Amino acid sequence: MEIKKFNKETNYKELCNWWKSWGLPIHPKEALSENGIIISKDGINICSGFIYSTDSYICFFEFVTINKNTTKEQRKGTLEKLGDTLLSTAKNMNFKLAMALGEDKQARIAPILRKWENDNMNDVITPNLSQYWKIIT
């Protein structure tokens, strides 16, 4: 598995294709944080996510996206690696708390959000949308 900094010039088009494959809106390149991570395995980009900074000790993880054209075997362990990498990067940026929004059905399948449930700091915003908080240690 390889951890790379997301490069807007070389990775943006691929990310747009991932969004399209999931039926998600395409966000402008300028909306993406400079703190993006992409995880690849065997030369194939599998997933990516971004850290958004605030002027407090809280950061946000957003636009976590998986390459839909990969197999379950190719994806194995990549979301966990992405989550761990986002957390360690945020810690190195001196953040103490990370927040992410997720559909409740995502929490049942996404290992990042499933781990965060153990911190018991989550808020239900709507019947299908929750706010997930993770203390960065």
Side-chain angles (χ1 to χ4, degrees):
M1 222 174 295
E2 184 180 0
I3 302 165
K4 302 183 280 189
K5 181 171 174 53
F6 187 93
N7 182 308
K8 291 183 187 183
E9 299 309 314
T10 59
N11 299 125
Y12 178 71
K13 185 176 179 182
E14 182 176 28
L15 181 59
C16 289
N17 289 332
W18 294 359
W19 286 334
K20 285 178 193 172
S21 73
W22 290 106
L24 298 171
I26 305 301
H27 301 282
K29 191 185 299 186
E30 298 78 25
L32 298 177
S33 167
E34 294 297 324
N35 299 305
I37 303 293
I38 193 160
I39 305 293
S40 63
K41 190 190 270 188
D42 300 324
I44 299 169
N45 291 331
I46 307 288
C47 58
S48 66
F50 296 83
I51 300 170
Y52 285 82
S53 300
T54 69
D55 61 356
S56 70
Y57 65 77
I58 300 171
C59 65
F60 294 86
F61 295 170
E62 291 293 339
F63 300 126
V64 173
T65 311
I66 301 170
N67 179 349
K68 193 175 185 178
N69 296 319
T70 56
T71 66
K72 186 176 182 179
E73 186 59 34
Q74 288 172 311
R75 292 188 302 267
K76 187 176 182 179
T78 57
L79 273 178
E80 291 89 344
K81 178 59 85 178
L82 177 64
D84 291 345
T85 304
L86 290 170
L87 284 168
S88 65
T89 302
K91 182 177 182 175
N92 290 338
M93 296 169 71
N94 295 316
F95 289 107
K96 307 288 185 228
L97 190 66
M99 197 275 290
L101 292 175
E103 292 181 25
D104 290 339
K105 64 182 178 183
Q106 287 177 310
R108 290 191 288 275
I109 60 171
I112 295 171
L113 297 180
R114 196 168 49 242
K115 281 183 186 177
W116 290 19
E117 289 179 333
N118 297 330
D119 278 2
N120 295 320
M121 295 177 57
N122 304 323
D123 302 312
V124 175
I125 296 171
T126 70
N128 295 320
L129 182 68
S130 291
Q131 201 171 35
Y132 294 90
W133 297 91
K134 177 69 178 164
I135 297 169
I136 300 173
T137 55

